[in-house]
Amino acid sequence: MPRVRAVSLSPAHTFSKPETATIRLLAGLGVEGDAHCGETVKHRSRVARDPTQPNLRQVHLIHAELFDELRGRGFTVTAGVMGENVTTEGIDLLGLPVGARLALGETAVVEITGLRNPCHQLNDFQPGLMAAVLDRDAAGNLVLKAGIMGVVVAGGDVRPGDAIAVALPEGPQRPLERV
């Protein structure tokens, strides 16, 4: 059964986010108290380009299974260290389509907007980590494995151990792209 393994937040623009017992998701904004919370973009590189863009990266989710894969390749990665707000387990986050909705806990819902675009800070954290979260599929297409991004459509508290329910969008489904 898909569930939340850990939750993390940071009020500052730091690479890693410390784990916490609970995060509160705010509809249309993101994680209360997190540096990326807001209606418009908060990632510094995007703010520099256009601070009026809508914030499609309010919540960052990573599957814990990635940490197991990375450990097998010699990296030490745990919940929150790659900057995610929600660490999941038992769900193929990368296989979800744009617009999929994840119900987290009792009331929170996050709508998936796209893939996290890995950046050089991964290598600053551990040399070679950026290459380790990139892959190629059978057709040679680049696969970004550093998590997914979403927006909060219904607020609520999220805790480790909370169940995750997936609702797929109706109609044709679009695969995730960088957001």
Side-chain angles (χ1 to χ4, degrees), residues 64-125:
E65 293 82 359
L66 176 62
F67 301 155
D68 298 336
E69 177 186 329
L70 293 171
R71 261 191 299 284
R73 296 177 67 184
F75 295 95
T76 304
V77 183
T78 58
V81 300
M82 288 176 53
E84 78 276 11
N85 301 110
V86 179
T87 308
T88 67
E89 64 183 13
I91 182 171
D92 178 12
L93 294 179
L94 303 178
L96 294 172
V98 171
R101 290 188 173 197
L102 302 179
L104 307 166
E106 293 182 21
T107 61
V109 178
V110 173
E111 184 172 307
I112 305 309
T113 56
L115 295 166
R116 175 191 186 185
N117 189 27
C119 69
H120 68 86
Q121 290 179 327
L122 291 166
N123 284 340
D124 295 342
F125 177 68

Side-chain angles (χ1 to χ4, degrees), residues 165-179:
V166 179
L168 297 176
E170 293 186 21
Q173 297 181 3
R174 293 183 304 130
L176 297 177
E177 297 177 353
R178 291 179 197 191
V179 64

Side-chain angles (χ1 to χ4, degrees), residues 13-97:
H13 285 276
T14 57
F15 176 73
S16 296
K17 297 180 183 206
E19 282 187 66
T20 186
T22 305
I23 58 172
R24 175 162 289 147
L25 300 185
L26 304 173
L29 296 172
V31 179
E32 182 178 59
D34 191 81
H36 297 104
C37 185
E39 291 181 14
T40 57
V41 292
K42 301 300 174 202
H43 286 77
R44 289 182 279 189
S45 63
R46 291 166 190 260
V47 168
R49 281 191 299 247
D50 179 3
T52 66
Q53 296 175 73
N55 187 2
L56 302 178
R57 301 165 57 101
Q58 295 174 359
V59 181
H60 177 197
L61 302 98
I62 289 184
H63 51 296
E65 293 82 359
L66 176 62
F67 301 155
D68 298 336
E69 177 186 329
L70 293 171
R71 261 191 299 284
R73 296 177 67 184
F75 295 95
T76 304
V77 183
T78 58
V81 300
M82 288 176 53
E84 78 276 11
N85 301 110
V86 179
T87 308
T88 67
E89 64 183 13
I91 182 171
D92 178 12
L93 294 179
L94 303 178
L96 294 172

